[in-house]
Amino acid sequence: MSTPSVEPVPLPAKRRLAQLAMLAFAVVIVMFAYANVGLAIDKQIPSGMLTYGLSLGGFMLAAYLVLARFAPWADPLILPLVTLVNGLGLVMIYRLEQSKAFGASANTQLLWTAVGVVLFSVTLIVLRDHRALQRLTYTAGAIGLFLLISPLLPLLGKSENGANIWIQIPGVGQLQPAEFAKLALIVFFAGYLVAKRDVLALAGRRLLFIDLPRARDLGPILIVWGFSLGVLILQKDLGSSLLIFGTFIAMLYIATQRTSWVLIGILLFVGGAILAGMVFDHVYARFEVYLNPEDPKLFERELGGSAQLMQGLFAMATGGILGTGLGQGHPKQIPLAISDFIFPATGEELGLTGLMALLMVYALIVQRGLRTSIAARDPFSKLLAGGLSFILAWQVFIIVGGVTNLIPLTGLVTPFMSQGGSALLANWILIALLVRMSDAARKPPPQAIQDEGMTQVFQR
């Protein structure tokens, strides 16, 4: 009797079919919303609905095929969830375009989505083993720092709306390098903390109920803190400053499990921001608007005023619980509705219920990323997946907190929804990294695959 040959067991077909069904369902929801906008504005289904639907569906089908081929064990929920958020962002930008909002272009955003899917696919194809990034720890750190300071370089940087966060690339247009810098810095943080976590976890003196770190180990957090304040002061970019420093503190906590690092980080950033607000006018203006947004003088101030914040709050109040309905609001009255304030524009037409559903989708994406971090088999993967998941959640919190006046307003955009290429492309790369690590974490060991293969052979 000949011994049956053993072949690697592919991911169960039911799971891949379920993922494809969820992708199709996400595209159907997007097309339903798209038709709703057209019916509300023109009393007819938009003529380009089929084109948008086929384009979005085709892009996501291509992403699915690449994922099924190069990351077959990856979490099946991540791609459909991202497709839904990205698609709803396209719908809102189309709706803003119909209301003649300045700069809104659904075609442009669809093009950026296509480029994002290409980068997602290229990342999965080229990066077969994400652990190779650990060897590039300091290279990634240098690249991240260069990208952050590049808007300050002569002939390259471009100031807009009082912030120096853009660079001008001939033939391409404007890009926000901080969106890509955050990915490089997370790779650096993960590699550095894996190498130094034993030292950073050592306790020094005890203050009340907290074990403080040793004074000699405070160097890394002080350096990142100083650099974050430099971004805040020189680039006038509170969002990137808060995003980078908060992510570093979160990853430091994941690596060491010491609450004292979190408390020290909070005290350092709050103290530094208050000091910067006392010394620099543009930082003080942000806090002034945060504390008194209803002040008529601030509302009427042309630069750095509270008009856009208040208009966003008015819009969400108008939407109420269930919203005015897609296509039936007045999003044109909200300044920067296509970028910084797309969340309030969505809230006016979908209401609190729609916003809570949207935030739940973001929460599910983050939850799947954190689940990948827990399931990862090596410290670098745990830190990298945890950092990428946290920075996505942290960015959503910062932008939602800003437009609802929970925290001072920043210049960040809503991931996958706001119009623009920089954030969208960077976030698609972020998702590709999470998918790659999910595949590695969920893939059974070779022996388990071989045993399962033998079982299937004998069952035949």
Side-chain angles (χ1 to χ4, degrees), residues 132-162:
L133 295 175
Q134 188 173 3
R135 297 195 295 268
L136 303 175
T137 294
Y138 292 98
T139 302
I143 292 174
L145 294 180
F146 173 77
L147 290 174
L148 270 182
I149 66 174
S150 58
L152 299 175
L153 300 178
L155 304 178
L156 189 61
K158 181 178 177 61
S159 178
E160 188 170 307
N161 296 323

Side-chain angles (χ1 to χ4, degrees), residues 5-263:
S5 61
V6 179
E7 298 178 355
V9 181
L11 191 66
K14 289 183 178 180
R15 184 176 298 176
R16 281 290 146 238
L17 290 176
Q19 184 182 39
L20 188 59
M22 288 186 289
L23 270 176
F25 183 61
V27 174
V28 168
I29 292 176
V30 172
M31 289 303 97
F32 178 79
Y34 190 88
N36 202 352
V37 171
L39 290 171
I41 296 176
D42 300 322
K43 308 301 180 184
Q44 61 181 2
I45 295 178
S47 58
M49 178 178 173
L50 184 61
T51 301
Y52 276 94
L54 291 177
S55 298
L56 181 63
F59 299 155
M60 298 312 159
L61 178 61
Y64 164 81
L65 293 175
V66 172
L67 185 150
R69 172 65 178 84
F70 294 97
W73 296 91
D75 191 311
L77 283 177
I78 295 178
L79 183 59
L81 290 170
V82 173
T83 299
L84 179 58
V85 179
N86 198 153
L88 291 177
L90 284 168
V91 170
M92 280 306 302
I93 292 170
Y94 171 76
R95 192 271 173 268
L96 291 167
E97 184 179 12
Q98 298 306 302
S99 67
K100 310 301 181 184
F102 177 76
S105 174
N107 289 333
T108 301
Q109 189 68 1
L110 188 63
L111 178 60
W112 281 121
T113 300
V115 178
V117 171
V118 170
L119 290 180
F120 170 87
S121 303
V122 169
T123 302
L124 287 182
I125 294 172
V126 173
L127 188 65
R128 301 297 182 90
D129 186 356
H130 63 278
R131 291 171 298 182
L133 295 175
Q134 188 173 3
R135 297 195 295 268
L136 303 175
T137 294
Y138 292 98
T139 302
I143 292 174
L145 294 180
F146 173 77
L147 290 174
L148 270 182
I149 66 174
S150 58
L152 299 175
L153 300 178
L155 304 178
L156 189 61
K158 181 178 177 61
S159 178
E160 188 170 307
N161 296 323
N164 301 311
I165 60 176
W166 298 91
I167 61 173
Q168 186 72 35
I169 300 179
V172 177
Q174 295 182 10
L175 285 178
Q176 193 171 347
E179 294 291 342
F180 300 94
K182 67 184 183 183
L183 301 179
L185 289 176
I186 289 176
V187 172
F188 167 70
F189 292 156
Y192 176 82
L193 292 174
V194 165
K196 303 293 184 180
R197 64 174 180 168
D198 291 337
V199 175
L200 295 172
L202 294 176
R205 295 181 179 180
R206 186 175 181 86
L207 179 64
L208 298 178
F209 57 90
I210 302 174
D211 291 322
L212 296 176
R214 301 181 304 175
R216 73 186 72 172
D217 300 328
L218 291 175
I221 193 173
L222 292 177
I223 293 173
V224 178
W225 172 69
F227 191 82
S228 298
L229 285 186
V231 172
L232 170 62
I233 294 169
L234 298 177
Q235 296 188 357
K236 305 178 183 179
D237 186 5
L238 177 61
S240 295
S241 174
L242 184 58
L243 190 69
I244 294 169
F245 190 69
T247 302
F248 177 70
I249 295 300
M251 295 180 68
L252 186 55
Y253 173 75
I254 295 173
T256 63
Q257 301 296 307
R258 290 205 170 277
T259 309
S260 56
W261 284 116
V262 179
L263 298 178

Side-chain angles (χ1 to χ4, degrees), residues 318-378:
T318 302
I321 300 297
L322 298 178
T324 60
L326 282 171
Q328 301 181 58
H330 301 86
K332 188 179 179 181
Q333 297 182 8
I334 307 174
L336 300 176
I338 64 170
S339 55
D340 298 30
F341 281 80
I342 197 169
F343 191 81
T346 305
E348 180 185 10
E349 302 198 344
L350 296 184
L352 179 63
T353 304
L355 290 183
M356 290 299 101
L358 179 61
L359 291 177
M360 183 59 68
V361 175
Y362 279 119
L364 286 172
I365 298 173
V366 173
Q367 185 268 339
R368 306 311 289 190
L370 292 176
R371 184 174 178 177
T372 297
S373 176
I374 294 173
R377 300 185 178 97
D378 63 282

Side-chain angles (χ1 to χ4, degrees), residues 377-446:
R377 300 185 178 97
D378 63 282
F380 177 76
S381 300
K382 287 182 179 293
L383 274 175
L384 185 58
L388 292 172
S389 303
F390 177 84
I391 202 170
L392 182 61
W394 190 226
Q395 184 166 345
V396 172
F397 170 79
I398 291 174
I399 185 61
V400 173
V403 299
T404 57
N405 205 39
L406 178 64
I407 61 175
L409 190 63
T410 66
L412 297 181
V413 296
T414 309
F416 297 106
M417 289 195 68
S418 299
Q419 178 166 306
S422 303
L424 188 61
L425 300 185
N427 284 322
W428 270 108
I429 297 174
L430 184 152
I431 294 299
L433 292 174
L434 281 180
V435 166
R436 169 55 65 208
M437 286 182 286
S438 173
D439 176 71
R442 295 164 69 95
K443 184 177 181 179

